[in-house]
Amino acid sequence: MRTGILLVILWLQASFCLSQISSLAGSRLKFEDLPEGLSQNSVNCIVQDKKGFIWLGTQDGLNRFDGYGFKVYKHDPLVEGSLGSSSLWALFEDSRGNLWAGAERGGLNLYDQANDRFTQFDYEIKEDTYLSNSVVYDILEVESGILWLATSNGLVLFDVSSTTFSPPPGPVNLRQTVIWVLYQDRNNNLWIGTDGSGLWKHDLTTKEFIHYREEPNNTRSITHNSIRSVFQDRKGRLWIGTEGGGLNQFHQDGKYFTAIRYDPKNPNSLTDDDVWAILDDDHNNLIIGTDGGGLNILTNQEKMIHILPDDVNPKSINDNVIRDLYRDKQGNLWIGMFRGGANMVYNYRDKFSLYNKSTGMGLSHNSVISIAESNDGGLWIGTDGGGLNYLDSSQNTFDRNKPAINSQSSPEDDVILSILEDSNGDLWLGTYGGGLNYHKNAGKKTTRFIRSHDNSNSLSNNSVWVIYEDSNQDIWLGTNGGLNLYNKANGAFIRFQDEDYDSKLRNDNSIRAIFEDSRQNLWLGVMGGVKRIQLKTGILTSYAFADYDSGILSNYLVTSIYEDSQGALWLGTYGGGLVRFDEEKGPIRNYNTKDGLPNNVVYGILEDDTNNLWLSTNDGVSKFNTENFSFKNYNRDDGLQSSQFNLGAYYKDKSGRMWFGGINGLNVFYPDSILDSE
């Protein structure tokens, strides 16, 4: 190593905050098949118990899924403790952790976990006719220890402690009609959906019953008297799925209904008017399961996405007849179907949200190569051929009028390699071949800097890969022609090129990373090593990987530099993986594909609040645990824009969200929301 003296001056720290992003496209959902072993392919009901097991009720057996395989329970008249019937319609776990199963002609069944058997409660055991020869379609615990049962012979109450049945309160005809569904909303109302007798609302506080029926001459009435599903979403809206009348929303303030129905001429309509299941997600999208029209998703932008089986796509949904929808404790979406068994959409809560052209959000080009925060809370996004984009944080939309600088850009200017909005609110754009564009007050006054062969104080190269403001508020530029320091006093550039650097390093002029650590050292990423500038003293130190006997690295380009919360320095390289670097010892350890890294090209490094490093690579995003040195890798199946990410396109905002840009758009996520299935 050799040291030299360099005069220096400097600043940096940028952060931005955008409102939460919600992007959902049916074509991006991956529907996973369960392993072999499901007892029958008509799945009517799904629930997860307190231990994490998933239970699936079919027309021929109850299946307990442990993530690997199934244990099947069926009715056997010769075996004491078997199910009352092998055909299941309802599953429910009560407040005490008891698992209940509603069977067809088999009454109410309680799972005895200690003995792995069932206790059946019906007229054959209890001298009581309330469940005589009936089907239990739904189970709900309205108050502790009291189960309400929706049956083919009306509404029934069951006292868990005394194991006795009793008639419900309210109108007599609720004891004499088929009840399909029971639902308790957040306003302490019980909703009772019948087969042909309309919808009942029972106020559990006042004990009042109100009856809603279809009225042919009233456009504000419910559209059908057969009710298959009831659901209250996160916004408090109450949705009712009917058998033949589509999806109804009940407006509780005005006491009226509006409907969304099947209309072949309207792309935002339902695909079928029979709605058997309703659910929502973390982004206020409504998931609708139909009896013949597959899944429909009503997005929070009031757009309808239709999801049907696709023979060409092996990850499409299995069947277009949906019987049940369920979200487990880890956010996975489970779909029970009439002929298709069950599908799972892994971590449906949108692990990695996406911005690109196909999401309809207005991004000008799918390849994102630079990201920076705007001082007003927005996000500047540089693309590879589409110029500059501005993401408005308040509207979650792209503002094409904000970056007015694009209107006078050349083709070279449309490739935005680097972006900085500095501490004064001035915008700097580094381009590929078009030089440096400086926009006073983010665009009101524009100056263009390009290389001049006759001027040694001009920009040293017209490809500007990185722009950095240090702690002294000085602007540094990494180019294909070395390091440049902008002189604010006279608008000139101080060049630091080959002759100032260690001759042992090849291609020192190609700088891809600049980073200031907590000790006011400025680090430069070059081919085959790094350089350190001590900002207080101006001393330059060159670290060449070839100088070390460790054999860890040889001639890899350093693409990113990061100091973690423990003070450790990490380097991302093009081909050499992730490197742990020591200021005195140099590269002390590298991690590559042999250690679990998905790819040895590491473009970006960010750290979450639990000291994990998140890495963008040429094969997805990887989470690196710095305590046990293990990797958890994510790919397109998890919602990533593609497997390939881009150099320079990574950022963590002050709310903790991480942004990674790649060849097919921009991913954003909260690290603590990326939950892995155990």
Side-chain angles (χ1 to χ4, degrees), residues 292-309:
L295 276 183
N296 291 247
I297 299 179
L298 180 63
T299 72
N300 56 16
Q301 286 91 23
E302 304 300 324
K303 302 293 183 182
M304 191 73 77
I305 297 170
H306 303 145
I307 302 175
L308 292 164

Side-chain angles (χ1 to χ4, degrees), residues 73-87:
Y73 301 86
K74 291 188 177 185
H75 171 66
D76 186 338
L78 302 179
V79 176
E80 186 178 355
S82 72
L83 280 166
S85 168
S86 294
S87 183

Side-chain angles (χ1 to χ4, degrees), residues 388-408:
L388 183 68
N389 292 253
Y390 176 79
L391 183 60
D392 188 326
S393 62
S394 62
Q395 301 296 323
N396 258 352
T397 57
F398 287 91
D399 184 350
R400 290 299 179 85
N401 296 318
K402 179 80 171 180
I405 51 178
N406 284 334
S407 61
Q408 299 177 345

Side-chain angles (χ1 to χ4, degrees), residues 100 194 318 440 445 454:
W100 299 87
T194 73
N318 283 359
K440 186 72 176 174
K445 182 180 179 182
D454 300 325

Side-chain angles (χ1 to χ4, degrees), residues 6-189:
L6 189 63
L7 297 177
V8 291
I9 355 169
L10 301 104
W11 181 101
L12 183 156
Q13 198 80 333
S15 61
F16 59 74
C17 183
L18 292 178
S19 58
Q20 185 171 0
I21 292 173
S22 163
S23 69
L24 180 64
S27 61
R28 293 184 61 239
L29 296 181
K30 306 296 189 299
F31 294 85
E32 302 291 340
D33 273 325
L34 301 185
E36 294 291 331
L38 189 68
S39 63
Q40 202 261 350
N41 272 349
S42 291
V43 177
N44 296 322
C45 47
I46 306 171
V47 77
Q48 184 178 30
D49 68 20
K50 62 183 178 182
K51 287 193 169 185
F53 292 113
I54 298 290
W55 296 79
L56 303 100
T58 75
Q59 290 185 6
D60 187 23
L62 176 61
N63 298 253
R64 188 182 73 183
F65 183 56
D66 61 6
Y68 300 95
F70 299 92
K71 182 170 184 178
V72 178
Y73 301 86
K74 291 188 177 185
H75 171 66
D76 186 338
L78 302 179
V79 176
E80 186 178 355
S82 72
L83 280 166
S85 168
S86 294
S87 183
L88 286 305
W89 282 95
L91 291 169
F92 180 75
E93 185 179 52
D94 68 20
S95 59
R96 303 175 186 180
N98 297 313
L99 182 69
W100 299 87
E104 184 169 351
R105 317 296 178 195
L108 181 68
N109 295 258
L110 171 64
Y111 177 58
D112 180 351
Q113 180 180 303
N115 298 299
D116 194 29
R117 53 176 288 165
F118 290 87
T119 302
Q120 181 185 357
F121 300 95
D122 65 7
Y123 70 99
E124 293 178 347
I125 297 175
K126 300 290 178 183
E127 293 181 1
D128 200 310
T129 59
Y130 289 118
L131 277 191
S132 178
N133 202 33
S134 66
V135 185
V136 177
Y137 288 117
D138 204 0
I139 307 169
L140 185 67
E141 185 180 28
V142 174
E143 55 185 297
S144 181
I146 304 295
L147 300 182
W148 291 58
L149 310 178
T151 82
S152 56
N153 288 332
L155 196 60
V156 179
L157 270 60
F158 179 74
D159 189 310
V160 176
S161 298
S162 64
T163 66
T164 57
F165 296 96
S166 61
V172 173
N173 56 2
L174 279 176
R175 310 173 203 172
Q176 301 169 347
T177 187
V178 176
I179 310 292
W180 282 118
V181 61
L182 300 170
Y183 186 84
Q184 185 175 359
D185 68 20
R186 294 191 290 276
N187 300 318
N188 206 31
N189 297 310

Side-chain angles (χ1 to χ4, degrees), residues 16 149 234 257 316 358 368 370 607:
F16 59 74
L149 310 178
R234 293 162 195 262
F257 297 84
S316 72
S358 64
V368 174
S370 52
E607 183 182 17

Side-chain angles (χ1 to χ4, degrees), residues 33 35 73 77 79 108 127 185 208 212 241 266 330 377 452 490 532 622 656:
D33 273 325
Y73 301 86
V79 176
L108 181 68
E127 293 181 1
D185 68 20
E208 178 187 17
Y212 300 97
N266 181 3
Q330 294 176 326
S452 173
N490 58 18
R532 182 192 66 188
S622 184

